[in-house]
Amino acid sequence: MSFAMRRAAAATAVVCGRTMQSYCEERKLAEVPHLREWQKNLAVMANPMVAAGKTTEVVSVDPPEMVLRDIVEVEGKEAKGRALRRAGAAGEICWDPSEVRAAIVTCGGLSPGLNNVVKGVVGALWSYGVKTVYGIPFGYRGFYAGDYKQLTPENVSLIHHEGGSALGSSRGGFDEKRIMDSLEMRGINQVYIVGGDGTHRGAYKLHEEAMRRGKKIAIIGVPKTIDNDIGVIDRSFGFKTCIEEACKVIECARIEAASAPNGVCVVKLMG
């Protein structure tokens, strides 16, 4: 069944006597902006990873597979909770991999695991057959004021052993119009943005700018914070490592203070 046919079927589907729409509303499904919302004649193709047998599990988009969380149930009262779309490989994709030109950027403060994310994204894109992947230097400003670096599985193969970000990172420099102009000029249609809450507010503005221009450009946010203060997710990558390292410093400080007469040690943590 085609994408359009499944959407039509989902709109009239009945689950236990209810429409799919009411079923999702009852579970407070948090929807995620999708290209189909402003690309009305969006062409799709079969997922080559599924066809090649490289992925064994396919996630349903319409009707949506949901992950239920924060469920609170009390006898005699309606259960409360929320639902998120389940992540994973879909049966159909919106791009021919040979036409994809992707970019990855890391923004904001450093966090353990940034290079793992960059390596993982590059590897996943290449496994789909995408051969044009750019690394954007030093945050948002790198889109319009930096030299893009071509990324391959070979030149990112060892970066997970290094700290920091192999691409560089910075705060500020966000300008949705200049960034979108650069994306259009280079023909980039997938942007992977790794950052915290401020970075994701910028990512959403980029999404809105792409939608305003009617461009088939996907903006994908990857949550990153050592403060663990991003909503929806339980824990960001790097948070556990930062806690473990902070504990070591605090323990050393405690020993120093305890070993000196009237010893006092002040420890300040960010976030």
Side-chain angles (χ1 to χ4, degrees):
M1 183 183 292
S2 70
F3 182 89
M5 291 174 65
R6 286 204 311 277
R7 280 188 59 78
T12 57
V14 175
V15 180
C16 298
R18 292 162 292 176
T19 65
M20 180 56 65
Q21 181 178 354
S22 65
Y23 185 74
C24 293
E25 288 174 352
E26 286 178 12
R27 277 147 184 78
K28 297 180 174 61
L29 175 63
E31 279 292 7
V32 178
H34 194 276
L35 281 168
R36 61 175 176 263
E37 295 175 12
W38 76 93
Q39 295 283 324
K40 300 305 180 183
N41 298 313
L42 186 65
V44 296
M45 63 176 289
N47 188 330
M49 296 287 282
V50 176
K54 295 182 179 179
T55 182
T56 57
E57 193 168 10
V58 178
V59 174
S60 172
V61 177
D62 282 315
E65 286 189 37
M66 294 179 279
V67 177
L68 304 180
R69 55 173 293 166
D70 299 337
I71 301 171
V72 179
E73 190 169 10
V74 180
E75 186 177 358
K77 295 184 178 180
E78 182 180 354
K80 295 181 179 180
R82 56 178 173 162
L84 305 173
R85 280 185 175 269
R86 185 183 177 210
E92 294 175 333
I93 58 177
C94 302
W95 275 279
D96 182 334
S98 65
E99 299 175 355
V100 171
R101 296 172 65 86
I104 309 169
V105 65
T106 56
C107 303
L110 297 178
S111 172
L114 280 172
N115 288 334
N116 298 67
V117 173
V118 173
K119 178 181 177 179
V121 172
V122 172
L125 288 168
W126 274 70
S127 69
Y128 270 85
V130 176
K131 296 296 189 291
T132 304
V133 185
Y134 293 111
I136 308 301
F138 301 107
Y140 276 132
R141 60 174 50 84
F143 279 106
Y144 55 83
D147 295 325
Y148 292 21
K149 179 182 179 181
Q150 184 85 35
L151 301 180
T152 67
E154 288 73 27
N155 64 19
V156 300
S157 63
L158 298 176
I159 63 173
H160 61 293
H161 294 300
E162 304 169 4
S165 169
L167 304 179
S169 185
S170 70
R171 293 179 171 87
F174 181 79
D175 185 321
E176 66 266 36
K177 290 182 171 54
R178 293 180 73 181
I179 293 173
M180 192 57 63
D181 288 344
S182 296
L183 295 178
E184 287 191 62
M185 181 180 68
R186 292 177 179 267
I188 292 172
N189 49 27
Q190 290 186 16
V191 184
Y192 296 83
I193 301 174
V194 190
D197 52 350
T199 298
H200 277 72
R201 284 192 290 271
Y204 190 72
K205 288 183 179 180
L206 277 181
H207 155 73
E208 290 182 314
E209 182 66 15
M211 189 165 57
R212 187 184 69 79
R213 300 188 187 193
K215 297 299 180 180
K216 186 184 175 184
I217 300 177
I219 309 296
I220 302 96
V222 181
K224 175 272 305 178
T225 170
I226 62 172
D227 303 338
N228 208 38
D229 59 355
I230 295 180
V232 180
I233 63 172
D234 293 317
R235 187 172 67 200
S236 169
F237 68 88
F239 175 68
K240 185 177 180 182
T241 301
C242 286
I243 291 295
E244 291 173 350
E245 294 303 312
C247 288
K248 294 177 184 178
V249 173
I250 294 171
E251 178 61 13
C252 290
R254 184 194 68 79
I255 293 172
E256 287 284 345
S259 301
N262 302 315
V264 176
C265 194
V266 178
V267 178
K268 181 180 183 297
L269 293 178
M270 66 165 290

